[in-house]
Amino acid sequence: MYEVVIVEDDPMVAMINKQYVTENKHFHVASVCRDGDAALAYLTANNVQLVILDVYMPKTTGIEVLRRIREKNLPLAVIMVTAANDSAAIEEAVRLGVVDYLIKPFSSARFQQALEKFLSRQDAFHDLEQFSQQHIDAMLNSGSSKTIEQLPKGIQDQTLETVHNFLERNPDTDFTGEEIADKVGLSRVTVRRYLNFLLEKGTISGNMNYETGGRPCMLYRINK
């Protein structure tokens, strides 16, 4: 499980971000810091893998916190969560190597995509001893070590990653489409479209369950 610190001066936003993080079983919120100075003190003294970082805060801005994290060579990743959509802040955040940059207001699904992007990169670093150019290109462009391919109209890369990664992280469990939709924060119609795409590619399997006591339903599972 990855330890997460949320850095946000707005208590309501901090609470929502914490709720979004805890929806994913791979993460645990270790601390919520209200300003940049408190965050830097905590990050320096504790083992943390991911920071959810706002830009505009009292005392020390999120960008300055990010700079100091890099200066200290702290081994952690950062997702920027902010209302700041000016090009200078975005350019600086990207230059300093953020995993993702979310502009408020954002949906739970988009937040989960950012978390999955982090998880995909961590998996790549842990699973691969050597990287090919293809691995690097795929990881930098989509947050995944998987091969980039031309997707058909109506299939978006990040949404496909979200559905696929959820099933991949639960390889021994069968899920209905409704259960998957609830877990990843997408509509059932959207999830069904992506499940059909993955079925056609042979990435997942689907088996009809007649033991529901009511209407039969399809159960989906990643192919190993």
Side-chain angles (χ1 to χ4, degrees), residues 74-97:
L74 298 178
L76 52 84
V78 175
I79 295 174
M80 301 297 290
V81 179
T82 180
N85 59 359
D86 60 283
S87 59
I90 295 172
E91 181 180 2
E92 183 71 356
V94 171
R95 187 181 69 80
L96 291 169

Side-chain angles (χ1 to χ4, degrees), residues 100-141:
D100 210 339
Y101 194 106
L102 305 182
I103 298 176
K104 303 173 186 176
F106 47 83
S107 66
S108 171
R110 182 62 183 87
F111 193 97
Q112 294 303 322
Q113 287 175 2
L115 294 180
E116 289 293 341
K117 190 173 184 179
F118 166 81
L119 289 172
S120 294
R121 291 190 178 190
Q122 293 301 110
D123 286 348
F125 290 136
H126 291 159
D127 296 343
L128 298 174
E129 294 184 0
Q130 292 183 326
F131 281 80
S132 67
Q133 185 65 58
Q134 188 177 52
H135 287 134
I136 295 171
D137 291 345
M139 187 167 59
L140 291 179
N141 283 299

Side-chain angles (χ1 to χ4, degrees), residues 56-92:
Y56 292 129
M57 295 181 297
K59 298 183 180 180
T60 306
T61 68
I63 293 295
E64 183 58 31
V65 171
L66 181 55
R67 288 197 193 102
R68 295 187 189 179
I69 287 172
R70 298 305 181 228
E71 289 171 359
K72 292 175 178 288
N73 291 319
L74 298 178
L76 52 84
V78 175
I79 295 174
M80 301 297 290
V81 179
T82 180
N85 59 359
D86 60 283
S87 59
I90 295 172
E91 181 180 2
E92 183 71 356

Side-chain angles (χ1 to χ4, degrees), residues 141-211:
N141 283 299
S142 66
S144 170
S145 62
K146 299 178 179 61
T147 302
I148 296 175
E149 60 180 315
Q150 189 67 35
L151 297 175
K153 185 177 180 180
I155 300 295
Q156 300 298 319
D157 182 69
Q158 284 192 325
T159 306
L160 181 62
E161 286 282 339
T162 298
V163 175
H164 179 273
N165 288 345
F166 171 76
L167 291 170
E168 191 173 49
R169 295 182 193 288
N170 298 276
D172 300 318
T173 305
D174 294 315
F175 295 96
T176 66
E178 289 77 8
E179 289 172 334
I180 296 170
D182 291 341
K183 293 291 186 181
V184 301
L186 297 170
S187 73
R188 296 180 180 183
V189 173
T190 297
V191 166
R192 192 174 300 115
R193 180 167 70 251
Y194 284 85
L195 290 172
N196 288 337
F197 174 76
L198 291 171
L199 280 171
E200 291 175 3
K201 290 184 62 63
T203 305
I204 65 174
S205 58
N207 296 293
M208 191 64 72
N209 178 19
Y210 295 96
E211 300 178 358

